[in-house]
Amino acid sequence: MGQKVNPVAYRTGIMEDWKSRWYASKKDFAELLVEDKKIRDFIKKRKAPGEGRGINADRLMYPAIARIEIERTRDEVRVILFSAKPGVLIGHSGEKAEILQNDLQRLTGRRVNVKIEEVKRPDLVAQLIAEDIGDQLVRRVGFRRTMQRAMKQAMDAGAKGIKIQLSGRLGGAEMARCEKQIEGSIPLSTLRAKIDYGFHEAKIAQGHIGIQVWINQGEYSEDDKNGANAQTSKASKGAKRSYKR
C-alpha cells in the first residue's frame, strides 16, 4: 500500500511559505488554529443568498479562490484571498469585499482586513482546475472529456506535466472506482520541482466525486520569493574542516 504525501505540505518550510503566518503562545495556539480553519471554511463554503432549487442551488458566494493566506498582528487579522475572478469577490464599489470583512469580524470577534490578489495564470493552478472539473461534472458533462480538456488547457498554458484522478461512482456506475490520467512529468519527490496540488468534491446525484489534481509548474527559480527565502535560510557551505592524523 502506497504512502501518500501532500506535495504542498512536503515543500512547506523548504520551498514554499506557510499559508498561516503568525506566532502565539502555547495556551492560545490551538484556539487561533481553529479560528483559521473557521475563516477558511466560511469563505470556501458560503452559499450565495437568494438561490433556489436546481443547478444553481449550490452556487458559491466567493468562487474561484485558489488559496487563502492568513497573517496575524497584535491589532488585526489580515486575510489574503488569491482569486482568478477578483472583480466578483470585490463587487460593485467594493461592496462585496466589505460585507465579507464585516462577516469575518462577527465570526472571529477581531478586527479583520481582507485583501484580494489576482491569479495571473488560472490554468496552472491545481485548485481552480479541480473546482472547474467539479462544476462540469455537476452539469453532467462526461468525466473523460472533462479530464482531457483540463489537461490540454494546462499543457497549452505551459505546464510541464499534469495528473488528474477522479474517485467515486463515475458515469453513474454501481461500484465506485478511480480513473486517472497523466500527461508530462510529475516528479512528486523532487523538492526543487514546483508541484501544485488541488482537491475538490463534486456533489452529483449518484454521490460525491473526489477530484485530485497535480500540476508540475517547472522548477523554483532563484528569483522566486519563497525559493529565495528558503535559500537564505540554508547554512552556508564553508571550507571543510581538516583533521590531522
Side-chain angles (χ1 to χ4, degrees):
M1 183 175 180
Q3 305 299 315
K4 309 299 187 297
V5 177
N6 187 309
V8 177
Y10 184 56
R11 290 162 176 81
T12 298
I14 303 173
M15 306 301 291
E16 288 283 345
D17 202 0
W18 278 264
K19 300 299 183 290
S20 292
R21 296 183 289 273
W22 44 267
Y23 175 81
S25 60
K26 188 174 182 180
K27 65 176 183 178
D28 298 329
F29 183 84
E31 179 185 349
L32 295 180
L33 190 65
V34 172
E35 190 174 283
D36 280 9
K37 181 70 166 59
K38 289 180 180 178
I39 291 174
R40 297 177 195 276
D41 289 345
F42 179 85
I43 297 173
K44 295 289 287 184
K45 299 179 181 180
R46 177 77 180 273
K47 297 294 188 298
E51 295 293 334
R53 296 180 179 274
I55 195 169
N56 292 324
D58 292 332
R59 191 170 67 88
L60 295 175
M61 188 170 181
Y62 309 110
I65 295 179
R67 68 181 187 275
I68 302 172
E69 296 184 357
I70 299 176
E71 298 177 351
R72 293 178 182 271
T73 63
R74 183 177 298 178
D75 300 326
E76 67 177 12
V77 180
R78 188 178 297 113
V79 180
I80 308 170
L81 307 180
F82 293 83
S83 174
K85 301 177 180 179
V88 176
L89 270 64
I90 296 172
H92 182 66
S93 302
E95 179 182 357
K96 205 169 181 181
E98 188 174 347
I99 292 174
L100 173 61
Q101 185 169 298
N102 294 333
D103 290 342
L104 292 178
Q105 287 180 160
R106 284 194 294 268
L107 177 69
T108 61
R110 308 174 192 271
R111 191 170 70 180
V112 178
N113 182 15
V114 175
K115 184 179 179 182
I116 298 173
E117 298 281 349
E118 182 181 4
V119 176
K120 300 294 185 182
R121 305 171 71 185
D123 289 333
L124 292 179
V125 180
Q127 183 63 36
L128 297 179
I129 292 177
E131 292 179 5
D132 182 60
I133 292 174
D135 292 340
Q136 295 184 54
L137 293 179
V138 170
R139 293 197 293 267
R140 301 183 181 180
V141 180
F143 66 92
R144 287 194 181 90
R145 183 190 306 172
T146 303
M147 294 169 70
Q148 292 171 0
R149 183 186 304 167
M151 295 176 73
K152 184 178 185 305
Q153 290 176 349
M155 295 301 288
D156 291 345
K160 304 297 183 183
I162 180 172
K163 178 169 73 170
I164 300 177
Q165 179 173 304
L166 305 184
S167 304
R169 294 181 57 187
L170 301 175
E174 290 294 327
M175 184 175 292
R177 69 180 193 277
C178 290
E179 191 85 14
K180 180 170 62 176
Q181 292 188 14
I182 303 176
E183 187 172 347
S185 172
I186 304 290
L188 297 180
S189 299
T190 305
L191 282 172
R192 67 175 179 272
K194 195 172 184 179
I195 305 294
D196 193 21
Y197 173 77
F199 173 78
H200 183 68
E201 282 189 10
K203 300 178 182 178
I204 63 174
Q206 290 79 18
H208 288 201
I209 301 293
I211 306 162
Q212 293 176 285
V213 178
W214 296 260
I215 295 181
N216 180 8
Q217 299 177 351
E219 293 189 356
Y220 290 94
S221 63
E222 294 292 336
D223 297 333
D224 188 20
K225 179 184 71 171
N226 298 329
N229 291 340
Q231 291 291 335
T232 55
S233 65
K234 290 182 179 178
S236 60
K237 293 183 178 179
K240 293 185 178 179
R241 184 177 178 181
S242 60
Y243 294 90
K244 294 182 180 180
R245 290 188 177 180

